Amino acid sequence: MVRGIRTARLLAVATASLLTGLTACAGTAKPPAPTSTTGAPASTPQEQTSAAPEQGGEKGEQRGEVARALAGMSLEDKVGQLFMPVLPGTTADAKTIRKYRLGGVILFPDNIKTVEQVVALTNGLQEAAGKVPMLVGTDQENGIVSRVGALMTKFPGAKVIGDTGDTALARKAAEATGAELKSLGINLDFAPVADVNINPRNPVIGVRAYGSDPAKVSRMVGAAVKGFADAGVAATAKHFPGHGDTTTDSHTGLPVIKHTRAQWEKLDAPPFRAAIAAGVDAIMTAHIVMPALDPSGDPATLSKPILTGILRGKLGFKGVISTDALNMEGVRTKYGDGEVAVRAVLAGADLLLMPPSLDKAYTAVLDAVKSGRISAKRLDESVTRLLELRRARGFLDRAPVASAEEANRVLRSAEHRKLAARITRASR
């Protein structure tokens, strides 16, 4: 549990000068409004999934921390932990955070003005969060999807990094990106893109992917996941089960990808396997229909056979499953906005990103738990994973506190600008 956030802030600021900025999302190219598409650490969410403490040992103590945090929550607290909406404005909306017991907030350019303002915003979000530190996320893929790009080093996007063929550069770029985000108080990035862009007419992925070769994309994704871990920021591989072969934008429609199961195994699955092997914290779903994996016609975000059967069962992923933005048309074609949130949880999702109506979605999930449609056990599984992500990244028992002085030292540093230029040269 978190106690004394203001005290933690003073301690963090006092020690900020001892820190170094570099230790070694989703969206379309031009969204009309905020939408999101979406070494290895010593301990990862995949290694720590149970809320029950074990007897003896560091692992048991760690699981005990998660169990204690879970035990301190009411039903309403637990439901609120599942949600990560967009909140308008450049200051923390404490009233909404406390009303819905929010577990996270995602930042977009409208939330971003200056370094000092963002630091005040993220610290304000943590103070409003109360007992459990908040997940503060964004889509900083670099390149054409750079939500915090106005303040950060302009690193090349995934396609340029992929063109270098150098996994060391992919890892360093992710680490530097993570370091800059962390300096601002952002602790979760919806990156890297793990889609294999095998369709040249793809309107939503394109240069956001590392390339069209599954083996190369897998190597780059694995390296990027490790880079984010080096920086202490949670990474999210997206968009499962693979958004690379479509001519429909899931922001405006529901794509259908007609890969056979064998094609999916060969073309789409490898980068997600690599992300899991590298210890990725979260995997984002795609609002796509893939009949070979689930013939129901539901998008993967609402598909239990895909999320629970394949991602959890077949691929063995034990971390957080995040939906892509629930305000996208690809997930709103069959069900109402409250029902979509309920079905996503039933399918296996843990983090509900950007519901178009927070009130409808929160109320629907809360009512579904009260009625038994979503079991208490199922809810606890998701909340446990979300708490475990915080523990693995070092902020379950103490809210992260940003420092404007430290952020100004880390952001757009000479070292990072040299790295960006090196990547561009290597890609030619």
PDB file of all heavy atoms in Angstrom, residues 266-286:
ATOM      1  N   LYS A 266       2.961 -19.186 -38.721  1.00  0.00           N
ATOM      2  CA  LYS A 266       4.191 -18.833 -39.425  1.00  0.00           C
ATOM      3  C   LYS A 266       4.408 -17.333 -39.523  1.00  0.00           C
ATOM      4  O   LYS A 266       5.542 -16.843 -39.380  1.00  0.00           O
ATOM      5  CB  LYS A 266       4.149 -19.435 -40.834  1.00  0.00           C
ATOM      6  CG  LYS A 266       5.374 -19.125 -41.685  1.00  0.00           C
ATOM      7  CD  LYS A 266       5.257 -19.755 -43.059  1.00  0.00           C
ATOM      8  CE  LYS A 266       6.470 -19.411 -43.924  1.00  0.00           C
ATOM      9  NZ  LYS A 266       6.366 -20.023 -45.282  1.00  0.00           N
ATOM     10  N   LEU A 267       3.328 -16.571 -39.754  1.00  0.00           N
ATOM     11  CA  LEU A 267       3.470 -15.147 -40.070  1.00  0.00           C
ATOM     12  C   LEU A 267       3.215 -14.220 -38.885  1.00  0.00           C
ATOM     13  O   LEU A 267       3.935 -13.238 -38.704  1.00  0.00           O
ATOM     14  CB  LEU A 267       2.501 -14.772 -41.197  1.00  0.00           C
ATOM     15  CG  LEU A 267       2.698 -15.481 -42.534  1.00  0.00           C
ATOM     16  CD1 LEU A 267       1.564 -15.131 -43.487  1.00  0.00           C
ATOM     17  CD2 LEU A 267       4.044 -15.101 -43.137  1.00  0.00           C
ATOM     18  N   ASP A 268       2.185 -14.498 -38.107  1.00  0.00           N
ATOM     19  CA  ASP A 268       1.741 -13.554 -37.085  1.00  0.00           C
ATOM     20  C   ASP A 268       2.237 -13.877 -35.682  1.00  0.00           C
ATOM     21  O   ASP A 268       2.521 -12.968 -34.893  1.00  0.00           O
ATOM     22  CB  ASP A 268       0.205 -13.503 -37.048  1.00  0.00           C
ATOM     23  CG  ASP A 268      -0.400 -13.120 -38.382  1.00  0.00           C
ATOM     24  OD1 ASP A 268      -0.191 -11.975 -38.806  1.00  0.00           O
ATOM     25  OD2 ASP A 268      -1.081 -13.972 -38.988  1.00  0.00           O
ATOM     26  N   ALA A 269       2.303 -15.151 -35.355  1.00  0.00           N
ATOM     27  CA  ALA A 269       2.599 -15.542 -33.977  1.00  0.00           C
ATOM     28  C   ALA A 269       4.034 -15.292 -33.534  1.00  0.00           C
ATOM     29  O   ALA A 269       4.256 -14.957 -32.357  1.00  0.00           O
ATOM     30  CB  ALA A 269       2.240 -17.017 -33.775  1.00  0.00           C
ATOM     31  N   PRO A 270       5.057 -15.461 -34.404  1.00  0.00           N
ATOM     32  CA  PRO A 270       6.440 -15.394 -33.912  1.00  0.00           C
ATOM     33  C   PRO A 270       6.808 -14.150 -33.115  1.00  0.00           C
ATOM     34  O   PRO A 270       7.456 -14.278 -32.054  1.00  0.00           O
ATOM     35  CB  PRO A 270       7.266 -15.532 -35.201  1.00  0.00           C
ATOM     36  CG  PRO A 270       6.406 -16.368 -36.092  1.00  0.00           C
ATOM     37  CD  PRO A 270       5.015 -15.887 -35.831  1.00  0.00           C
ATOM     38  N   PRO A 271       6.444 -12.937 -33.528  1.00  0.00           N
ATOM     39  CA  PRO A 271       6.843 -11.782 -32.706  1.00  0.00           C
ATOM     40  C   PRO A 271       6.217 -11.772 -31.313  1.00  0.00           C
ATOM     41  O   PRO A 271       6.842 -11.294 -30.356  1.00  0.00           O
ATOM     42  CB  PRO A 271       6.367 -10.579 -33.533  1.00  0.00           C
ATOM     43  CG  PRO A 271       6.316 -11.079 -34.940  1.00  0.00           C
ATOM     44  CD  PRO A 271       5.839 -12.499 -34.813  1.00  0.00           C
ATOM     45  N   PHE A 272       5.005 -12.298 -31.193  1.00  0.00           N
ATOM     46  CA  PHE A 272       4.386 -12.352 -29.872  1.00  0.00           C
ATOM     47  C   PHE A 272       5.058 -13.410 -29.008  1.00  0.00           C
ATOM     48  O   PHE A 272       5.233 -13.213 -27.799  1.00  0.00           O
ATOM     49  CB  PHE A 272       2.882 -12.600 -30.011  1.00  0.00           C
ATOM     50  CG  PHE A 272       2.162 -11.442 -30.637  1.00  0.00           C
ATOM     51  CD1 PHE A 272       1.785 -11.479 -31.979  1.00  0.00           C
ATOM     52  CD2 PHE A 272       1.891 -10.298 -29.909  1.00  0.00           C
ATOM     53  CE1 PHE A 272       1.143 -10.409 -32.578  1.00  0.00           C
ATOM     54  CE2 PHE A 272       1.247  -9.217 -30.497  1.00  0.00           C
ATOM     55  CZ  PHE A 272       0.874  -9.265 -31.834  1.00  0.00           C
ATOM     56  N   ARG A 273       5.444 -14.510 -29.623  1.00  0.00           N
ATOM     57  CA  ARG A 273       6.228 -15.502 -28.881  1.00  0.00           C
ATOM     58  C   ARG A 273       7.535 -14.882 -28.386  1.00  0.00           C
ATOM     59  O   ARG A 273       7.969 -15.108 -27.249  1.00  0.00           O
ATOM     60  CB  ARG A 273       6.526 -16.713 -29.763  1.00  0.00           C
ATOM     61  CG  ARG A 273       5.314 -17.566 -30.127  1.00  0.00           C
ATOM     62  CD  ARG A 273       5.759 -18.791 -30.933  1.00  0.00           C
ATOM     63  NE  ARG A 273       4.663 -19.584 -31.419  1.00  0.00           N
ATOM     64  CZ  ARG A 273       4.028 -20.531 -30.717  1.00  0.00           C
ATOM     65  NH1 ARG A 273       4.407 -20.775 -29.467  1.00  0.00           N
ATOM     66  NH2 ARG A 273       3.039 -21.211 -31.258  1.00  0.00           N
ATOM     67  N   ALA A 274       8.175 -14.097 -29.253  1.00  0.00           N
ATOM     68  CA  ALA A 274       9.440 -13.459 -28.878  1.00  0.00           C
ATOM     69  C   ALA A 274       9.238 -12.454 -27.753  1.00  0.00           C
ATOM     70  O   ALA A 274      10.065 -12.356 -26.835  1.00  0.00           O
ATOM     71  CB  ALA A 274      10.051 -12.771 -30.101  1.00  0.00           C
ATOM     72  N   ALA A 275       8.152 -11.698 -27.813  1.00  0.00           N
ATOM     73  CA  ALA A 275       7.860 -10.724 -26.755  1.00  0.00           C
ATOM     74  C   ALA A 275       7.664 -11.427 -25.418  1.00  0.00           C
ATOM     75  O   ALA A 275       8.178 -10.984 -24.381  1.00  0.00           O
ATOM     76  CB  ALA A 275       6.625  -9.910 -27.122  1.00  0.00           C
ATOM     77  N   ILE A 276       6.925 -12.531 -25.439  1.00  0.00           N
ATOM     78  CA  ILE A 276       6.683 -13.289 -24.209  1.00  0.00           C
ATOM     79  C   ILE A 276       7.985 -13.849 -23.669  1.00  0.00           C
ATOM     80  O   ILE A 276       8.269 -13.779 -22.466  1.00  0.00           O
ATOM     81  CB  ILE A 276       5.647 -14.400 -24.464  1.00  0.00           C
ATOM     82  CG1 ILE A 276       4.276 -13.774 -24.768  1.00  0.00           C
ATOM     83  CG2 ILE A 276       5.546 -15.334 -23.254  1.00  0.00           C
ATOM     84  CD1 ILE A 276       3.251 -14.760 -25.307  1.00  0.00           C
ATOM     85  N   ALA A 277       8.814 -14.386 -24.550  1.00  0.00           N
ATOM     86  CA  ALA A 277      10.107 -14.939 -24.124  1.00  0.00           C
ATOM     87  C   ALA A 277      10.995 -13.859 -23.518  1.00  0.00           C
ATOM     88  O   ALA A 277      11.803 -14.135 -22.624  1.00  0.00           O
ATOM     89  CB  ALA A 277      10.808 -15.597 -25.316  1.00  0.00           C
ATOM     90  N   ALA A 278      10.859 -12.626 -23.993  1.00  0.00           N
ATOM     91  CA  ALA A 278      11.667 -11.515 -23.486  1.00  0.00           C
ATOM     92  C   ALA A 278      11.110 -10.920 -22.202  1.00  0.00           C
ATOM     93  O   ALA A 278      11.738 -10.036 -21.615  1.00  0.00           O
ATOM     94  CB  ALA A 278      11.778 -10.423 -24.552  1.00  0.00           C
ATOM     95  N   GLY A 279       9.953 -11.401 -21.749  1.00  0.00           N
ATOM     96  CA  GLY A 279       9.372 -10.932 -20.501  1.00  0.00           C
ATOM     97  C   GLY A 279       8.472  -9.732 -20.627  1.00  0.00           C
ATOM     98  O   GLY A 279       8.393  -8.913 -19.708  1.00  0.00           O
ATOM     99  N   VAL A 280       7.758  -9.612 -21.751  1.00  0.00           N
ATOM    100  CA  VAL A 280       6.901  -8.439 -21.954  1.00  0.00           C
ATOM    101  C   VAL A 280       5.846  -8.330 -20.852  1.00  0.00           C
ATOM    102  O   VAL A 280       5.292  -9.333 -20.403  1.00  0.00           O
ATOM    103  CB  VAL A 280       6.247  -8.472 -23.348  1.00  0.00           C
ATOM    104  CG1 VAL A 280       5.135  -9.521 -23.431  1.00  0.00           C
ATOM    105  CG2 VAL A 280       5.727  -7.101 -23.765  1.00  0.00           C
ATOM    106  N   ASP A 281       5.586  -7.105 -20.414  1.00  0.00           N
ATOM    107  CA  ASP A 281       4.650  -6.873 -19.322  1.00  0.00           C
ATOM    108  C   ASP A 281       3.202  -7.040 -19.751  1.00  0.00           C
ATOM    109  O   ASP A 281       2.369  -7.517 -18.979  1.00  0.00           O
ATOM    110  CB  ASP A 281       4.826  -5.445 -18.795  1.00  0.00           C
ATOM    111  CG  ASP A 281       6.242  -5.186 -18.326  1.00  0.00           C
ATOM    112  OD1 ASP A 281       6.524  -5.452 -17.152  1.00  0.00           O
ATOM    113  OD2 ASP A 281       7.062  -4.724 -19.138  1.00  0.00           O
ATOM    114  N   ALA A 282       2.877  -6.586 -20.965  1.00  0.00           N
ATOM    115  CA  ALA A 282       1.491  -6.585 -21.419  1.00  0.00           C
ATOM    116  C   ALA A 282       1.430  -6.880 -22.911  1.00  0.00           C
ATOM    117  O   ALA A 282       2.402  -6.656 -23.636  1.00  0.00           O
ATOM    118  CB  ALA A 282       0.826  -5.235 -21.127  1.00  0.00           C
ATOM    119  N   ILE A 283       0.286  -7.369 -23.355  1.00  0.00           N
ATOM    120  CA  ILE A 283       0.016  -7.583 -24.776  1.00  0.00           C
ATOM    121  C   ILE A 283      -1.339  -6.967 -25.068  1.00  0.00           C
ATOM    122  O   ILE A 283      -2.311  -7.198 -24.337  1.00  0.00           O
ATOM    123  CB  ILE A 283       0.049  -9.069 -25.150  1.00  0.00           C
ATOM    124  CG1 ILE A 283       1.483  -9.606 -25.056  1.00  0.00           C
ATOM    125  CG2 ILE A 283      -0.514  -9.291 -26.555  1.00  0.00           C
ATOM    126  CD1 ILE A 283       1.633 -11.088 -25.370  1.00  0.00           C
ATOM    127  N   MET A 284      -1.387  -6.165 -26.138  1.00  0.00           N
ATOM    128  CA  MET A 284      -2.624  -5.499 -26.528  1.00  0.00           C
ATOM    129  C   MET A 284      -3.356  -6.307 -27.588  1.00  0.00           C
ATOM    130  O   MET A 284      -2.739  -6.864 -28.494  1.00  0.00           O
ATOM    131  CB  MET A 284      -2.325  -4.095 -27.072  1.00  0.00           C
ATOM    132  CG  MET A 284      -3.563  -3.329 -27.526  1.00  0.00           C
ATOM    133  SD  MET A 284      -3.174  -1.720 -28.256  1.00  0.00           S
ATOM    134  CE  MET A 284      -2.895  -0.768 -26.766  1.00  0.00           C
ATOM    135  N   THR A 285      -4.664  -6.335 -27.466  1.00  0.00           N
ATOM    136  CA  THR A 285      -5.495  -7.059 -28.423  1.00  0.00           C
ATOM    137  C   THR A 285      -5.725  -6.239 -29.689  1.00  0.00           C
ATOM    138  O   THR A 285      -5.533  -5.019 -29.711  1.00  0.00           O
ATOM    139  CB  THR A 285      -6.865  -7.379 -27.817  1.00  0.00           C
ATOM    140  OG1 THR A 285      -7.593  -6.155 -27.639  1.00  0.00           O
ATOM    141  CG2 THR A 285      -6.726  -8.082 -26.480  1.00  0.00           C
ATOM    142  N   ALA A 286      -6.168  -6.915 -30.729  1.00  0.00           N
ATOM    143  CA  ALA A 286      -6.553  -6.265 -31.981  1.00  0.00           C
ATOM    144  C   ALA A 286      -8.060  -6.387 -32.168  1.00  0.00           C
ATOM    145  O   ALA A 286      -8.652  -7.427 -31.876  1.00  0.00           O
ATOM    146  CB  ALA A 286      -5.838  -6.910 -33.169  1.00  0.00           C
TER     147      ALA A 286
END
